[in-house]
Amino acid sequence: MTELRVYLLVKDLARQFAAYMSTPTRARGYPPMQGEHSLIIEVAPALAIHRICDLALKTAPDMEPGLLYTERQYGILELHAADLAHLNFAGEAILKGIGHKPEDQLKPRTLYADIIDDVSDQHAIILNRTREASMLLPGKSLLLYELEPALFASVAANEAEKVAPGITLVDVQMIGASGRLFLSGTRKECERARDRIDEVLGAVIGRSGKA
């Protein structure tokens, strides 16, 4: 029995998030572009993701897979397309094939959220050594999120950028036991992004339970 952990439609990919998803560490397949739409799915056991990929690509052969990944427990697939209808068509085939509905996914849970003002030089340096997106500049405010399942960090990053275009995407960690998001900007930008993230995650319909 395949467990559906995440069934996440990310609409209208923002510029920074699309660029992040196109880096070699994320887009191991076809890189997504700004303005496209993305369907991201996580299942357990991990290898069941290959059945998901098979169902999607045989139903919609023109679909572009950007990420097909198996970690210790979970399998992850990212598909993207310019036409939202194509993604919905592929998604319906996936759900039918594994006998699930979108609301069978886990509801996201925020484990930690904080805004750190006036980041110090040393803090910025050590964080920049491990970040995978843009640099954190000293003196900026830093918005932090930790949540589960991890993949919800992706929609959090995308929605934050859309409501606060001046914000900087520093890092998104969207694979593993929990997801982590690092965004920097002015205090007001971080607050606007935080409020939108809370709104989007709170509206997700899903089952409760520890990820």
Side-chain angles (χ1 to χ4, degrees):
M1 181 66 179
T2 300
E3 178 195 4
L4 180 65
R5 291 175 48 81
V6 176
Y7 182 85
L8 183 59
L9 188 62
V10 184
K11 298 179 182 179
D12 189 19
L13 297 181
R15 181 182 60 178
Q16 292 182 77
F17 182 67
Y20 165 78
M21 290 292 288
S22 299
T23 60
T25 55
R26 284 292 162 260
R28 303 185 180 204
Y30 299 82
M33 303 296 176
Q34 179 182 2
E36 290 187 323
H37 313 288
S38 179
L39 177 63
I40 307 177
I41 296 174
E42 181 177 279
V43 296
L47 283 181
I49 201 64
H50 289 282
R51 172 56 63 186
I52 304 294
C53 187
D54 179 75
L55 288 166
L57 297 181
K58 285 180 178 174
T59 302
D62 293 333
M63 196 68 55
E64 291 189 337
L67 175 65
L68 177 61
Y69 186 81
T70 55
E71 51 107 23
R72 288 187 304 169
Q73 294 179 283
Y74 314 129
I76 297 142
L77 175 67
E78 186 275 334
L79 300 164
H80 51 266
D83 191 333
L84 187 59
H86 290 171
L87 273 185
N88 286 326
F89 185 51
E92 289 171 4
I94 290 168
L95 293 170
K96 182 179 179 181
I98 62 175
H100 279 298
K101 305 181 292 296
E103 55 266 31
D104 291 334
Q105 70 177 332
L106 287 164
K107 189 172 181 63
R109 186 164 70 104
T110 298
L111 304 177
Y112 183 79
D114 197 5
I115 298 175
I116 299 173
D117 292 318
D118 192 19
V119 173
S120 68
D121 294 5
Q122 301 96 318
H123 194 170
I125 288 170
I126 197 166
L127 199 154
N128 283 330
R129 289 182 181 273
T130 57
R131 50 92 188 166
E132 293 187 356
S134 298
M135 292 182 66
L136 168 64
L137 298 179
K140 293 289 187 179
S141 292
L142 176 65
L143 173 61
L144 302 168
Y145 261 88
E146 184 165 357
L147 47 85
E148 56 182 18
L151 277 182
F152 282 100
S154 60
V155 70
N158 197 63
E159 290 299 318
E161 185 181 347
K162 287 197 286 187
V163 298
I167 210 162
T168 298
L169 179 61
V170 177
D171 202 2
V172 187
Q173 299 169 13
M174 50 184 273
I175 295 175
S178 61
R180 298 179 180 94
L181 177 61
F182 301 75
L183 295 161
S184 70
T186 66
R187 175 79 190 195
K188 286 186 177 179
E189 287 171 335
C190 289
E191 289 176 345
R192 194 178 304 123
R194 177 199 60 198
D195 293 345
R196 178 57 179 163
I197 290 170
D198 289 344
E199 178 186 4
V200 169
L201 296 182
V204 173
I205 299 174
R207 56 189 169 92
S208 60
K210 193 178 186 306

